[in-house]
Amino acid sequence: MTALAATQKSNVKTALMAGAIAIGMVGMGFAAVPLYRIFCQVTGFGGTTMRVSEAQAATVQAVSKTVVVRFDANQRGLPWEFKPERPTDTVSIGARDMSVFIAKNLSDQPVTGTATFNVTPAQAGKYFNKIQCFCFTEQTLKAGEQIRMPVLYYVDPKIMTDPDTKDIEEITLSYTFYPVDQPGQGS
């Protein structure tokens, strides 16, 4: 093999490796968001709450210690009024409780929104368990419609044994509704 042929073979090999790396980086870019979301849901990182089934919740025993849960409601870019029915609730740790949020479409046309949520302090996220929540699905409100949206939840008693969370006396559950682009609607 001549020196020129060896150089060309080396260049082709380098180009193929660079192309493979570029394709891998693009793939990782697309996978990053769902992988991060899964990571947050599994660990409670960044105040992400945990989602549990009714059967899982039924195995948890309430204790006598209580915690104050504050509810925060926001909307971004929606013609909605959105608020908690009660701004706070004192709950027994481990006991199932329900909070209700009220949303009203102030426009003259149907509007669909989706809610994001978080818990503060962030360390409490992995102990804040939702059984049912309006935030698991998109919500469509007809023109002028007002609805009550429940959240069924409990605070896991393990919060009391974690050195980072055992002294927490107040948790804030915050929701922000964003518009969902629907086919045939403007952006």
Side-chain angles (χ1 to χ4, degrees), residues 2-165:
T2 67
L4 179 60
T7 301
Q8 287 177 336
K9 186 175 179 180
S10 177
N11 287 348
V12 168
K13 190 175 179 181
T14 301
L16 288 173
M17 287 180 73
I21 290 171
I23 289 170
M25 297 294 282
V26 169
M28 289 301 292
F30 281 106
V33 171
L35 289 174
Y36 181 74
R37 183 176 294 129
I38 290 168
F39 170 77
C40 290
Q41 289 173 345
V42 169
T43 65
F45 182 75
T48 301
T49 62
M50 307 305 283
R51 184 175 179 178
V52 297
S53 69
E54 186 72 41
Q56 290 170 303
T59 65
V60 178
Q61 296 296 314
V63 298
S64 60
K65 184 175 178 184
T66 61
V67 65
V68 173
V69 180
R70 292 192 172 282
F71 303 103
D72 178 52
N74 306 283
Q75 61 80 20
R76 300 281 187 265
L78 284 172
W80 286 10
E81 180 179 276
F82 176 53
K83 62 185 178 186
E85 194 169 67
R86 291 180 304 177
T88 64
D89 195 6
T90 300
V91 300
S92 294
I93 293 177
R96 285 187 273 185
D97 202 43
M98 184 173 75
S99 178
V100 175
F101 286 76
I102 299 168
K104 182 174 183 179
N105 181 352
L106 303 175
S107 77
D108 60 356
Q109 58 187 334
V111 178
T112 301
T114 188
T116 61
F117 54 87
N118 71 344
V119 168
T120 53
Q123 309 91 296
K126 65 183 173 183
Y127 300 110
F128 197 97
N129 296 280
K130 291 190 207 172
I131 304 162
Q132 292 179 341
C133 183
F134 60 88
C135 60
F136 297 155
T137 59
E138 294 177 354
Q139 303 296 319
T140 300
L141 278 68
K142 297 174 190 164
E145 181 181 19
Q146 178 174 306
I147 60 171
R148 297 176 79 237
M149 300 180 294
V151 178
L152 187 59
Y153 68 93
Y154 70 92
V155 178
D156 193 318
K158 292 177 187 170
I159 197 170
M160 298 182 313
T161 59
D162 183 331
D164 293 331
T165 59

